[in-house]
Amino acid sequence: MSIEVQKHDRVTLVTLNRPGVRNAVDAATAQALHAAFLEFERDEGADVAVFHGAGGHFCAGWDLQSGARLQAEGVAPEALAQSLDFSAESTDPPGPMGPSRLQLGKPVIAAISGAAVAGGMELALWCDLRVMEEDAYFGVYCRRFGVPLIDGGTVRLPRLIGLSRALDLILTGRKVEAPEALHMGLCNRVVPPGEALAAALALAREIAAFPQATLRADRASAIAQEGLPLAGALLQEWQGGRACLADALQGAARFTAGQGRHGRF
């Protein structure tokens, strides 16, 4: 199996399992990843997903060996482009790497060990949070081979770290190790080698323990406000949050009863 899916109470663990190619993604694996995250989105018993790579690496990107086979088989670039095409009206469109075009209503945490490069970096950028091991690294390594960023890399990277830093990585393809990634906001946590998965699962359980309706409304507003005028963003925030006022009143009652005092979770 190129991927594995496990349930840990309210947390879903999706593992890329192609360690022989550093979890590089071919067409079949992309389809399996897309299906797995759609199933997570539809699963009412799942609140948070953790995305992980088996065998010491997160993901080395697009499987260049599968690309070479397409070249040998005479597949035209136009045919390849058509197979990956989508439009603004597409519903749950698959990306070349699988889930990269999905806009989920629930958070996903990347547990990053080893390489998260090229399309693998794009998959990590697609996640809400990134927990990175001290010896893991990012990089637009596909720069060397003329493979474009078509899984959101040119969009999400500038939004996360700013255009100047993003262009540094996009134009040079250089390696970004964990300390620099943390400094520039490319990852959210750095942990010792071998501990990313455990740390990401612990973080996912913490997030899953919160009231989910308000958490998802706040997450959706934070994502959707990008590029909106202030007035429009504030209105959108209100429209999403007003449906959660019943939860807010219940939370106030719990606080009055003694729960969650002094910053306790």
Side-chain angles (χ1 to χ4, degrees), residues 212-218 239-249:
Q212 290 299 298
T214 52
L215 182 144
R216 293 176 192 174
D218 289 348
Q239 290 171 337
R242 67 184 299 170
C244 301
L245 292 181
D247 289 343
L249 293 176

Side-chain angles (χ1 to χ4, degrees), residues 9-10 46 53 98 193:
D9 296 323
R10 307 290 300 185

